[in-house]
Amino acid sequence: MGVSVDEFLELLDELPKVRMSHGGDWVALKVHDKGFGYLWEATETVGLKATIEEQIALVAERPEVFEVQFTAGRFGWVVVHLDGIDREELFELVAEAWCLTAPKQLVADFEAAHQIGQQAL
């Protein structure tokens, strides 16, 4: 288990219109100029936007992997330790953070292309 920084960066290629900008010790992750995450390469951690309920649940379930970063309005940002998570779960969290931030039509197009939220027939 565990995801490297390079593997994390590869995950970002699966999401449309992601831009990265360096801000000192971190890399900001944005879609349409709105932030949905941060990467700290030195500590191999990622901060991701989530709902407050998701933030609380993740930290309560596995405090060795997740920690509270901060809350802002209706969002609770969570720090993810990359060495404690697998690729599939990490992609789910990154995609969720992206969906909370991206314009509605971009999210709808992404979800349709990836069959997210669609029931099997």
Side-chain angles (χ1 to χ4, degrees):
M1 185 183 317
V3 176
S4 70
V5 169
D6 288 339
E7 289 169 326
F8 171 75
L9 293 171
E10 288 173 10
L11 289 177
L12 298 176
D13 291 339
E14 297 181 39
L15 297 168
K17 308 226 181 234
V18 171
R19 300 229 175 189
M20 293 185 283
S21 60
H22 294 271
D25 294 337
W26 70 90
V27 176
L29 310 173
K30 297 180 179 184
V31 56
H32 281 253
D33 293 323
K34 294 183 179 180
F36 69 92
Y38 297 91
L39 167 66
W40 293 273
E41 291 185 58
T43 59
E44 296 183 5
T45 56
V46 176
L48 295 172
K49 186 184 222 179
T51 64
I52 291 174
E53 296 80 13
E54 182 78 6
Q55 177 200 53
I56 292 167
L58 289 169
V59 173
E61 182 181 311
R62 289 188 296 172
E64 72 281 2
V65 177
F66 304 106
E67 60 186 85
V68 172
Q69 186 175 13
F70 63 91
T71 58
R74 61 188 180 102
F75 299 109
W77 290 69
V78 63
V79 173
V80 181
H81 295 265
L82 294 177
D83 64 352
I85 193 167
D86 66 36
R87 186 186 194 285
E88 185 176 314
E89 183 181 17
L90 181 59
F91 181 72
E92 183 179 318
L93 294 173
V94 172
E96 184 176 320
W98 181 89
C99 287
L100 289 171
T101 310
K104 289 181 184 180
Q105 187 59 54
L106 192 58
V107 171
D109 293 345
F110 173 77
E111 288 178 342
H114 290 83
Q115 298 182 347
I116 294 172
Q118 298 177 16
Q119 294 181 1
L121 299 176

